[in-house]
Amino acid sequence: MSNDLFAPRVPEEVANKRPLADRLRPQTLAEVTGQAHLTGEDGVLRRMIEAGSLGSMIFWGPPGTGKTTVARLLSGEAGLAFEQISAIFSGVADLKKVFEAARLRRMDGRQTLLFVDEIHRFNRAQQDSFLPVMEDGTVILVGATTENPSFELNAALLSRARVLTFQSHDEESLEELLRRAEAVEGKPLPLTEDARASLIGMADGDGRSVLTLAEEVWRAARKDELFDPDMLVKIVQRRAPVYDKAQDGHYNLISALHKSVRGSDPDAALYYLARMFDAGEDPLYLGRRLVRMAVEDIGLADPQALVICNAAKDAYDYLGSPEGELALAQACVYLATAPKSNAVYTAFKAATQAAKQNGSLLPPKHILNAPTKLMRTEGYGDGYRYDHDEPDAFSGQNYFPEKMGRQIFYDPPERGFERDIRKRLDWWAKLRKERGER
């Protein structure tokens, strides 16, 4: 590529000792694997190059999906100068130097593609510094991030750049990388079929990782040795799942767990619960989330759900790991298989909105206590009917402020225990109508 023309020549024996992932780095966009929606024949980036019009972009995706490589290849195929900086190691002074160099190139008729790795690590003011050079065409910005741009990048920057999502490598893509590695090394990986599948699983969708793991296997294998899955684990150990308890991995999995419970799929719910345990999530956090699911998605359709979730949380607190995790798993399955209702959740939101909209209305005087003579004179408590003295222990009085009138917030469905609650409410509504609500 043009920016490598004057790089010093590396002796062949040294070049061959470079990491496998570096030696297999694609030389054209067509060689990029796993991102056909971007780099394939009908991919977004391919269409941009053919149209001769590149705009600023944010590459969002997990590690090892080729963001840096694609940015470099993009500059080469579009005939742009390539500059790369990392937000971890660069500050305002570094940005000024890069911008000035880009301005000089532009005066000579050449545009610059500026690749910023970990762009989300720049603060808001530093992100704003890109805006002028993006607007006047000094640079085409390509920022790379593993974090959700909606949360980590400011609106002004996002409005000037298109977000392109890089996907984790699937099994087929990782298998293609292993075949390329075997071709470069001139020998097959010493793995059984099951062990090869295990290695691909360990890579967790990361192309760089699968090649690094393959290198470790070749280094460890003795002549004619073939590793099975158990031996593979001993040789390469186990790569921790891609999961940051403060970032997207955390929120994605807890969202998946919650929606699996809400969707009455105990198997999927257990899977995501196990993944979060495996990634080191705080079990008491998961216990609290299960309690939330009980009140938000099951509610009074099964009143025992809240009791069981609280008991599971207490059981974990009492037993600790790993025994206590089974109590949380039991609660998770109970929630997923319970009848579902958000009627109380919806009713409470509606009641909250009504409370805010109607201000400080006085309750009807007949349900207010009258501890003083003045209050009795004002009619407090006048006409109150004690429900236990009424037929069916139901007076049918109005309890809402008179200016509001009767409201209905809670509408239980015909599911679970709320089927019985619905019958009671319908019965009371019938009595209220017959007896004349006051």
Side-chain angles (χ1 to χ4, degrees), residues 193-206:
E193 186 175 339
D194 288 343
R196 191 180 184 96
S198 295
L199 184 139
I200 287 174
M202 289 178 185
D204 203 17
D206 185 327

Side-chain angles (χ1 to χ4, degrees), residues 14-25 212 215 219:
V14 175
N16 289 336
K17 292 182 180 179
R18 289 182 297 137
L20 185 57
D22 190 43
R23 283 183 280 147
L24 281 176
R25 195 179 294 275
T212 301
E215 272 192 305
R219 291 193 190 107

Side-chain angles (χ1 to χ4, degrees), residues 340-419:
K340 304 299 185 295
S341 170
N342 70 341
V344 173
Y345 177 75
T346 302
F348 182 64
K349 287 202 299 183
T352 300
Q353 184 177 8
K356 291 178 179 179
Q357 288 177 345
N358 289 283
S360 302
L361 297 177
L362 186 71
K365 287 185 178 180
H366 65 270
I367 67 169
L368 300 179
N369 290 332
T372 70
K373 183 178 179 180
L374 175 62
M375 295 174 77
R376 287 194 295 273
T377 303
E378 290 292 323
Y380 282 59
D382 185 27
Y384 174 65
R385 291 150 63 187
Y386 186 56
D387 285 84
H388 293 288
D389 291 340
E390 299 289 325
D392 304 303
F394 181 77
S395 67
Q397 298 171 102
N398 172 51
Y399 298 100
F400 277 93
E402 293 177 3
K403 290 184 178 180
M404 276 186 69
R406 168 162 292 281
Q407 305 287 315
I408 296 178
F409 301 129
Y410 178 49
D411 184 24
E414 292 280 350
R415 289 192 297 276
F417 182 72
E418 282 185 303
R419 183 181 294 111

Side-chain angles (χ1 to χ4, degrees), residues 294-326:
V295 296
E296 181 177 334
D297 293 294
I298 286 82
L300 291 178
D302 185 348
Q304 286 299 307
L306 178 58
V307 176
I308 285 174
C309 287
N310 270 314
K313 177 176 64 67
D314 291 342
Y316 178 84
D317 203 23
Y318 184 60
L319 293 173
S321 292
E323 293 86 354
E325 292 170 4
L326 184 58

